[in-house]
Amino acid sequence: MTNSSFDDIRSLLRQGFEVQAAAVADWHRQEPAFTTDLPEAVDAPGFIDLLLRQHWCNFRLWHVEDRARRKDAGAELIADCKYAIDKLNQERNDLIERLDLYLVRALEPLLPSAPQNARVRHNTETIGVALDRGSILALKTYHMQEQAERGGVTNDFVAECSRKLAVLTEQRADLCEAVLDLIEDYAVGLKRPKVYYQFKMYNDPRLNPELYTRKAGA
């Protein structure tokens, strides 16, 4: 892994929020073409590739969930959507962990030494999870703007969507600043980064009783 400074990491995270917003618009015009392999991120471009792959999971989840909520959706369509949602959520969470792993490895050499016998403090959510929230907010912002600019609706509807768009835009900006503040907490030794693993159980036939009991009884 290439050596980074705290400023490099802040700049990388700002870039991450920016590319999420730009990608939503781009992908509505043309879907991305990611390679099937998933190499480990060892530098900033590799991190951005991971971040966009994770964002692509949320992009697809958004549209699969829209299909599942159709009033005319039959049982087969809903089941197909459920399977797709489970698979995408697994991939989404795996990629969050990969983002955190890269960041922890990049940050560890920069961290000040903790005082002896001091309690190590951690944040309630990781930067990877915050980036996932930034991804979802980028999707919400794009689609709310679509509604605010939609034709054939009432002025009240447009005004409501415009108000919501302003709130979403502010919340996403706040989130980006909070992530950068957390990097500052790491820099001065207030907190230390850590990877937290989800260990999703529902897709593992060894851990989901609905899967392993049926298999045993087959």
Side-chain angles (χ1 to χ4, degrees), residues 61-94:
L61 273 166
W62 182 283
H63 295 94
V64 171
E65 288 171 352
D66 275 355
R67 288 199 297 276
R69 293 183 176 95
R70 282 171 35 189
K71 295 297 184 183
D72 63 340
E76 184 175 355
L77 174 61
I78 292 174
D80 287 346
C81 288
K82 173 60 178 170
Y83 293 141
I85 288 168
D86 282 351
K87 183 178 179 181
L88 287 168
N89 265 324
Q90 183 72 62
E91 184 179 352
R92 166 186 166 233
N93 281 281
D94 289 346

Coordinates of all heavy atoms in Angstrom, one line a residue, residues 61-94:
L61 N -29.8 -1.9 -6.1 CA -30.8 -2.1 -5.0 C -32.0 -1.2 -5.1 O -33.1 -1.5 -5.0 CB -30.2 -2.0 -3.6 CG -29.5 -3.2 -3.1 CD1 -28.6 -2.8 -1.9 CD2 -30.5 -4.3 -2.7
W62 N -31.7 0.1 -5.4 CA -32.7 1.1 -5.5 C -33.8 0.7 -6.5 O -35.0 0.8 -6.3 CB -32.1 2.5 -5.8 CG -33.1 3.6 -5.9 CD1 -34.0 3.9 -7.0 CD2 -33.3 4.6 -5.0 NE1 -34.7 5.0 -6.7 CE2 -34.3 5.5 -5.5 CE3 -32.7 4.9 -3.7 CZ2 -34.8 6.6 -4.8 CZ3 -33.2 6.1 -3.0 CH2 -34.2 6.9 -3.6
H63 N -33.3 0.3 -7.7 CA -34.2 0.0 -8.8 C -34.9 -1.4 -8.6 O -36.1 -1.5 -9.0 CB -33.5 0.1 -10.1 CG -33.0 1.6 -10.3 ND1 -31.8 2.0 -10.0 CD2 -33.7 2.6 -10.8 CE1 -31.7 3.3 -10.3 NE2 -32.8 3.7 -10.8
V64 N -34.2 -2.3 -8.0 CA -34.9 -3.6 -7.8 C -36.0 -3.4 -6.7 O -37.1 -4.0 -6.9 CB -33.8 -4.7 -7.2 CG1 -34.6 -5.9 -6.8 CG2 -32.9 -5.0 -8.3
E65 N -35.7 -2.6 -5.7 CA -36.7 -2.4 -4.7 C -37.9 -1.6 -5.3 O -39.1 -1.9 -4.8 CB -36.1 -1.6 -3.5 CG -35.2 -2.5 -2.7 CD -34.4 -1.8 -1.6 OE1 -34.5 -0.5 -1.6 OE2 -33.7 -2.4 -0.8
D66 N -37.7 -0.7 -6.2 CA -38.8 -0.1 -6.9 C -39.7 -1.1 -7.6 O -40.9 -1.0 -7.6 CB -38.3 0.9 -7.9 CG -38.0 2.3 -7.3 OD1 -38.3 2.5 -6.1 OD2 -37.5 3.2 -8.0
R67 N -39.1 -2.1 -8.3 CA -39.8 -3.1 -9.0 C -40.6 -3.9 -8.1 O -41.8 -4.3 -8.3 CB -38.9 -4.0 -9.9 CG -38.3 -3.3 -11.1 CD -37.8 -4.3 -12.1 NE -36.7 -5.1 -11.6 CZ -35.4 -4.7 -11.6 NH1 -35.1 -3.5 -12.0 NH2 -34.5 -5.5 -11.1
A68 N -40.0 -4.3 -6.9 CA -40.7 -5.1 -6.0 C -42.0 -4.5 -5.4 O -42.9 -5.2 -4.9 CB -39.8 -5.5 -4.8
R69 N -42.0 -3.2 -5.4 CA -43.2 -2.4 -4.8 C -44.3 -2.1 -5.8 O -45.3 -1.5 -5.5 CB -42.7 -1.1 -4.2 CG -41.8 -1.4 -3.0 CD -41.3 -0.1 -2.3 NE -40.6 -0.3 -1.1 CZ -39.2 -0.4 -1.1 NH1 -38.5 -0.2 -2.2 NH2 -38.6 -0.6 0.0
R70 N -44.2 -2.6 -7.0 CA -45.2 -2.5 -8.0 C -46.5 -3.2 -7.6 O -46.5 -4.3 -7.0 CB -44.8 -3.0 -9.4 CG -43.9 -2.1 -10.2 CD -43.3 -2.8 -11.4 NE -44.3 -3.8 -12.0 CZ -43.9 -4.6 -13.0 NH1 -42.6 -4.6 -13.4 NH2 -44.8 -5.4 -13.5
K71 N -47.6 -2.5 -7.7 CA -48.9 -3.1 -7.3 C -49.3 -4.3 -8.1 O -50.0 -5.2 -7.6 CB -50.0 -2.0 -7.4 CG -49.8 -0.8 -6.4 CD -49.9 -1.3 -5.0 CE -49.8 -0.1 -4.0 NZ -49.7 -0.5 -2.6
D72 N -48.8 -4.4 -9.3 CA -49.1 -5.5 -10.2 C -48.1 -6.6 -10.1 O -48.1 -7.6 -10.9 CB -49.3 -5.1 -11.6 CG -48.0 -4.5 -12.2 OD1 -47.1 -4.1 -11.5 OD2 -47.9 -4.4 -13.5
A73 N -47.1 -6.5 -9.2 CA -46.1 -7.5 -9.1 C -46.6 -8.9 -8.6 O -47.3 -8.9 -7.6 CB -45.0 -7.1 -8.2
G74 N -46.4 -9.9 -9.4 CA -46.8 -11.2 -9.0 C -45.8 -11.9 -8.1 O -44.7 -11.3 -7.8
A75 N -46.1 -13.1 -7.6 CA -45.3 -13.8 -6.6 C -43.9 -14.1 -7.2 O -42.9 -14.0 -6.5 CB -46.0 -15.1 -6.2
E76 N -43.9 -14.4 -8.5 CA -42.6 -14.8 -9.1 C -41.7 -13.6 -9.2 O -40.5 -13.7 -8.9 CB -42.8 -15.4 -10.5 CG -41.5 -15.8 -11.1 CD -41.7 -16.5 -12.5 OE1 -42.9 -16.7 -12.9 OE2 -40.7 -16.8 -13.1
L77 N -42.2 -12.4 -9.6 CA -41.4 -11.2 -9.6 C -40.9 -10.8 -8.3 O -39.7 -10.4 -8.1 CB -42.2 -10.1 -10.3 CG -41.5 -8.7 -10.3 CD1 -40.2 -8.7 -11.1 CD2 -42.5 -7.6 -10.8
I78 N -41.8 -10.9 -7.3 CA -41.4 -10.5 -5.9 C -40.3 -11.4 -5.4 O -39.3 -11.0 -4.7 CB -42.6 -10.5 -5.0 CG1 -43.5 -9.3 -5.4 CG2 -42.2 -10.3 -3.5 CD1 -44.9 -9.3 -4.6
A79 N -40.4 -12.7 -5.7 CA -39.4 -13.7 -5.2 C -38.1 -13.4 -5.9 O -37.0 -13.4 -5.3 CB -39.9 -15.1 -5.5
D80 N -38.1 -13.1 -7.2 CA -36.9 -12.8 -7.9 C -36.2 -11.5 -7.4 O -35.0 -11.5 -7.2 CB -37.2 -12.6 -9.4 CG -37.5 -13.9 -10.2 OD1 -37.2 -14.9 -9.6 OD2 -38.0 -13.8 -11.3
C81 N -37.0 -10.5 -7.0 CA -36.5 -9.3 -6.5 C -35.9 -9.6 -5.1 O -34.8 -9.0 -4.8 CB -37.6 -8.3 -6.3 SG -38.2 -7.5 -7.9
K82 N -36.6 -10.4 -4.3 CA -36.0 -10.7 -3.0 C -34.7 -11.4 -3.1 O -33.7 -11.1 -2.3 CB -37.0 -11.6 -2.2 CG -36.5 -12.2 -0.9 CD -36.2 -11.1 0.1 CE -35.8 -11.7 1.4 NZ -35.2 -10.7 2.4
Y83 N -34.5 -12.4 -4.0 CA -33.2 -13.0 -4.1 C -32.2 -12.0 -4.6 O -31.0 -12.0 -4.1 CB -33.3 -14.1 -5.2 CG -34.2 -15.3 -4.7 CD1 -35.1 -15.9 -5.6 CD2 -34.2 -15.8 -3.4 CE1 -35.9 -17.0 -5.3 CE2 -35.0 -16.8 -3.0 CZ -35.8 -17.4 -4.0 OH -36.6 -18.5 -3.6
A84 N -32.6 -11.1 -5.5 CA -31.6 -10.1 -6.0 C -31.2 -9.2 -4.9 O -30.0 -8.8 -4.7 CB -32.2 -9.4 -7.2
I85 N -32.2 -8.8 -4.1 CA -31.9 -7.8 -2.9 C -31.0 -8.5 -1.9 O -30.0 -7.9 -1.5 CB -33.2 -7.4 -2.3 CG1 -34.0 -6.5 -3.2 CG2 -33.0 -6.8 -0.9 CD1 -35.4 -6.2 -2.8
D86 N -31.2 -9.8 -1.6 CA -30.3 -10.5 -0.7 C -28.9 -10.5 -1.2 O -27.9 -10.3 -0.5 CB -30.8 -11.9 -0.4 CG -32.0 -11.9 0.6 OD1 -32.3 -10.9 1.2 OD2 -32.6 -13.0 0.7
K87 N -28.7 -10.9 -2.5 CA -27.4 -11.0 -3.1 C -26.7 -9.6 -3.1 O -25.5 -9.5 -2.8 CB -27.5 -11.5 -4.5 CG -26.2 -11.7 -5.2 CD -26.4 -12.4 -6.5 CE -25.0 -12.5 -7.2 NZ -25.2 -13.1 -8.6
L88 N -27.4 -8.6 -3.5 CA -26.8 -7.2 -3.5 C -26.5 -6.7 -2.2 O -25.4 -6.1 -2.0 CB -27.8 -6.3 -4.3 CG -27.9 -6.5 -5.8 CD1 -29.1 -5.7 -6.3 CD2 -26.6 -6.0 -6.5
N89 N -27.3 -7.0 -1.2 CA -27.0 -6.5 0.2 C -25.8 -7.2 0.7 O -25.0 -6.6 1.4 CB -28.2 -6.8 1.1 CG -29.1 -5.6 1.3 OD1 -28.6 -4.5 1.3 ND2 -30.4 -5.8 1.4
Q90 N -25.6 -8.5 0.4 CA -24.4 -9.2 0.8 C -23.1 -8.6 0.2 O -22.1 -8.3 0.9 CB -24.5 -10.7 0.4 CG -23.3 -11.5 0.8 CD -23.3 -11.8 2.3 OE1 -24.2 -12.4 2.8 NE2 -22.2 -11.3 3.0
E91 N -23.2 -8.3 -1.1 CA -22.1 -7.7 -1.8 C -21.8 -6.3 -1.3 O -20.7 -5.9 -1.1 CB -22.4 -7.7 -3.3 CG -21.3 -7.1 -4.2 CD -21.6 -7.1 -5.7 OE1 -22.7 -7.7 -6.1 OE2 -20.8 -6.5 -6.4
R92 N -22.9 -5.6 -1.1 CA -22.8 -4.2 -0.5 C -22.1 -4.2 0.8 O -21.1 -3.4 1.0 CB -24.2 -3.6 -0.4 CG -24.3 -2.4 0.5 CD -25.8 -2.0 0.6 NE -26.0 -1.0 1.7 CZ -26.8 -1.2 2.7 NH1 -27.5 -2.2 2.9 NH2 -26.9 -0.2 3.6
N93 N -22.4 -5.1 1.7 CA -21.8 -5.1 3.0 C -20.3 -5.6 2.9 O -19.5 -5.1 3.7 CB -22.6 -5.9 4.0 CG -23.8 -5.2 4.5 OD1 -23.7 -4.4 5.4 ND2 -25.0 -5.5 4.0
D94 N -20.1 -6.6 2.1 CA -18.7 -7.0 1.9 C -17.8 -5.9 1.4 O -16.7 -5.8 1.8 CB -18.7 -8.2 0.8 CG -19.3 -9.5 1.4 OD1 -19.5 -9.6 2.6 OD2 -19.5 -10.4 0.5

